[in-house]
Amino acid sequence: MTTAYDLAKAEVGTVEWAKGDNPKVVAYFKDSGNPGVTNDETAWCAAFVGAMLRRAGVKSTGALNARSYLDWGTPVDRKNAQPGDVVIFKRGNSSWQGHVAFFVKDRGARIDVLGGNQSNAVNVKGYQSAALLGIRRPPKATAKPAKPAKRPAQIAKPAAQPSPAKEAGKAAAGGLAGGGLALAIWALWADAAQAWRDFWLWAFSFIN
């Protein structure tokens, strides 16, 4: 069964747009239960985790506060952390701000995590172990995996327009073809008329 971590790995490379809002990031908000956010400037690390969990059929906190995951799932000791566990870090000296992502590897002084809004992108990045607040294991999937929110359809490319020169060539060719047929019919008529005149000249030669 596809896990939230599997889905998260498939999103690596998604970035915020310099101009406008990346619809993939906006979809993270919608799929995490926050459809009111329609830009990619709002902090979206919790939206990313929530979207991946819900897409995998796992209940999330539905919140955009990273620390909301401290009371979610099952607590896990750092030494027992597994790829896909949810890791929560504090951010600076704030008592409420934080960062949440999926555990990848413990490197001692740093912990590698896969998450969103990491330097404005989805990637794997190392965070200071000293900032670790907790590690939680996701519960088992209890719902039907949610389909990702639909992104705007791509604008269809306009149908190729025929070249004016090419169309003129076609018209000319058609004109020549039509003219050739007319000439052929006229030639047949002329031959028949000449034959008829020759017959009467021959007939009148006997009268004279």
Side-chain angles (χ1 to χ4, degrees):
M1 182 176 181
T2 303
T3 66
Y5 184 55
D6 293 329
L7 295 174
K9 288 187 286 186
E11 297 293 314
V12 170
T14 300
V15 299
E16 292 181 13
W17 287 356
K19 293 183 179 180
D21 301 298
N22 188 335
K24 291 191 69 174
V25 176
V26 174
Y28 298 152
F29 284 107
K30 183 175 181 180
D31 290 351
S32 67
N34 299 277
V37 182
T38 57
N39 64 77
D40 62 9
E41 293 299 319
T42 301
W44 48 280
C45 66
F48 177 75
V49 169
M52 298 303 105
L53 290 169
R54 289 194 174 192
R55 289 179 186 179
V58 178
K59 185 178 180 180
S60 70
T61 67
L64 296 180
N65 177 8
R67 295 197 186 202
S68 66
Y69 283 89
L70 286 171
D71 298 319
W72 169 91
T74 304
V76 176
D77 289 335
R78 179 178 172 182
K79 63 181 180 180
N80 296 322
Q82 300 175 0
D85 286 342
V86 173
V87 185
I88 306 95
F89 299 95
K90 63 181 179 180
R91 197 167 75 187
N93 296 319
S94 173
S95 61
W96 63 273
Q97 290 181 316
H99 181 68
V100 61
F102 295 102
F103 178 87
V104 175
K105 188 173 184 178
D106 190 339
R107 296 184 180 278
R110 300 179 72 84
I111 297 176
D112 289 348
V113 293
L114 166 57
N117 202 27
Q118 298 184 164
S119 299
N120 300 327
V122 176
N123 53 38
V124 175
K125 185 176 180 180
Y127 285 79
Q128 293 291 336
S129 299
L132 178 66
L133 292 176
I135 301 175
R136 315 290 290 196
R137 184 150 298 158
K140 294 185 180 297
T142 57
K144 183 178 180 180
K147 293 182 179 180
K150 291 184 178 180
R151 296 190 288 274
Q154 293 184 346
I155 299 175
K157 293 183 179 180
Q161 297 297 319
S163 165
K166 189 174 183 180
E167 288 302 299
K170 286 183 179 179
L176 289 173
L181 179 60
L183 287 173
I185 294 173
W186 181 85
L188 290 173
W189 178 85
D191 288 343
Q194 182 63 44
W196 188 248
R197 285 196 299 271
D198 290 344
F199 169 77
W200 283 110
L201 288 173
W202 174 79
F204 279 116
S205 67
F206 286 98
I207 297 174
N208 295 331

